[in-house]
Amino acid sequence: MSYYDLAIQPGVWKNGTASEAGRRWFDANLVRWFNGRLRPIGGWEKTNSGALTGTARSIIAWKDTSGLKWIAVGTHEKLYVFSGTSGTPSDITPTSPALVVGNESGSAGLGYGAADYGEGNWGDARTQTSIVVDATTWGFDVFGQILISLSKSDGYLLYWDPGATNQTTVKAARVPNAPSSNKAVVVSFQRHLFALGAGGNPKKVQWSDIEDYDDWTVTATNEAGDFELDTNGEIVAGLKVQDKILVWTNQDCHVISWIGPPYIYNRVKSGDQCGVISPQSMSVMEGHAYWMGHSGFFMWDGYTRRLECDVNDYIFRDINVTQESKIYSVTNKKFGEIWWFYCSSDATEIDRYVIFSQKEGWWSIGQLDRTIMMDSDPFKRPVGIGSDKFMYEHEIERSGTSARSDSVSSPSGTDTVGLQNRVLSRGLTSSTDVGLQYASTGNIEIGKGDRIVHGTQMVTDHSAGSNGVRFAFTTRSTPDGSSSTTSTVNPQSSGYTDVRFSGRSLQYHVESPFDQDFDLGKIKIDLKQGGRR
């Protein structure tokens, strides 16, 4: 016997063909690598009984001064608060004046201005679709315990105080004296309220007096102020990072720093050709900022730099550009990960994700229906909202060693992943479920790839209940030639599992039913070398 060690390094590589990927994972879904071992993404459960009005696009959580935990959610029609992760949402949408209802989805602009000047006849709709009308998202931050929000549908700064009497019956209201037609909002560490793209000026940054979000008038005795960024782009978003504020345009990135009176803040451009792809495509973890641009991923750790991404080509060939405004980023600090959610090329709603592991350096991909998600703080687990407009608690670990929960059934395909509970369990009575948790390698050539090899037996290293994980192999004689895939096999309790396959290259596939828990180490294959034909 000659055992071949299938020790595949963590993460997916998908910047070329399966043959170029070789001894790397080439595809994956609902899995991660943690401490070098392959395991499933944690489970999720629906937490609230009432569906939201409108599609959720933005979310924030915080504690008030009494210690109560709140979640605010912005849809394209409404603004809601939850007092915890369960229960019925409270509608705090402003009514006087009323919130302008926004766009549920992005759309291609065909009206006035949608083509080059002088083309066509005056008043005729354009046939070009180069102008995109964005889906409506929100900007959120907190000023002490007060929620500050801004819907991109009208650009007004709003506030809502959880300390008010009967607070869930109180509607959000416009911030007095604040500029209008803003693009984004940030509260600085020094407690100034920042309006970005202030007053409809796409380059203007304006802030209130310190500790006073009502006072925006610049005087010799306060700290209100403003300036314009040196950019050819338009402001899209801003975020606190370390003791600074990063402001992104659609073309570049700027760092705003506190310097004190008389100028209060200064600004420095941190990078060109690194603008964000959407208003929520950035996250902060451990003092570093990470974001998705128009053709790649970037980070800021004091300097702006491009992230080497093992799935970059796959992601940017697959995005529905009309729905780019829906793209958002979220951290998962428990596992040291940054996630981005986006619409695939054939989808009009969020259905895909890409993960970067800051902790271990790998990338992964998958499919999941979540229109918005947030990390666990200040709650125990991350929280997301699906296209069904219900809230789900995420990363629920398996408890005990019981087999599948009676309330869980495997979806028939990836389209509905996320819109039902997923309780991780240990073992099944059947191994015929659709394997929606999986990882597959590229085409692995044995030796020089010029001889046929015959696989006869696996030596497994895993932790899973009965039928909780299974394996298959696909072989080819040439990269573009026809393929042959074995039936899936379950690992045997002896640690030796018989397989039968022959070819010049092989793809290794591991899968698990929708809700099954497992972790997987190195696998060895007994290979015998054959002839050249």
Side-chain angles (χ1 to χ4, degrees), residues 163-177:
T165 303
N166 298 321
Q167 69 275 75
T168 56
T169 66
V170 177
K171 303 297 185 182
R174 291 183 182 177
V175 175
N177 306 313

Side-chain angles (χ1 to χ4, degrees), residues 240-354:
K240 292 190 289 289
V241 187
Q242 298 178 14
D243 61 345
K244 305 180 187 304
I245 294 174
L246 263 60
V247 175
W248 290 271
T249 74
N250 54 358
Q251 296 187 19
D252 45 34
C253 177
H254 302 255
V255 179
I256 296 177
S257 303
W258 161 263
I259 56 174
Y263 299 109
I264 316 302
Y265 289 95
N266 73 353
R267 69 279 196 192
V268 176
K269 182 183 287 188
S270 179
D272 288 307
Q273 299 179 0
C274 59
V276 289
I277 197 169
S278 73
Q280 298 182 113
S281 58
M282 66 291 293
S283 286
V284 175
M285 181 179 284
E286 296 181 355
H288 299 171
Y290 299 85
W291 67 94
M292 181 189 285
H294 294 277
S295 61
F297 296 86
F298 299 85
M299 70 171 293
W300 181 89
D301 58 359
Y303 300 92
T304 296
R305 62 195 72 191
R306 181 181 287 267
L307 280 175
E308 292 298 323
C309 176
D310 291 340
V311 293
N312 201 83
D313 290 355
Y314 168 77
I315 296 300
F316 286 95
R317 288 177 180 175
D318 187 44
I319 287 176
N320 182 341
V321 295
T322 305
Q323 306 303 330
E324 284 181 350
S325 55
K326 296 179 181 179
I327 294 172
Y328 69 90
S329 178
V330 60
T331 59
N332 190 333
K333 294 185 176 68
K334 178 179 179 180
F335 295 98
E337 299 166 352
I338 299 98
W339 293 52
W340 287 270
F341 285 81
Y342 66 95
C343 297
S344 62
S345 56
D346 296 327
T348 57
E349 195 50 86
I350 297 286
D351 66 336
R352 301 290 177 98
Y353 66 80
V354 54

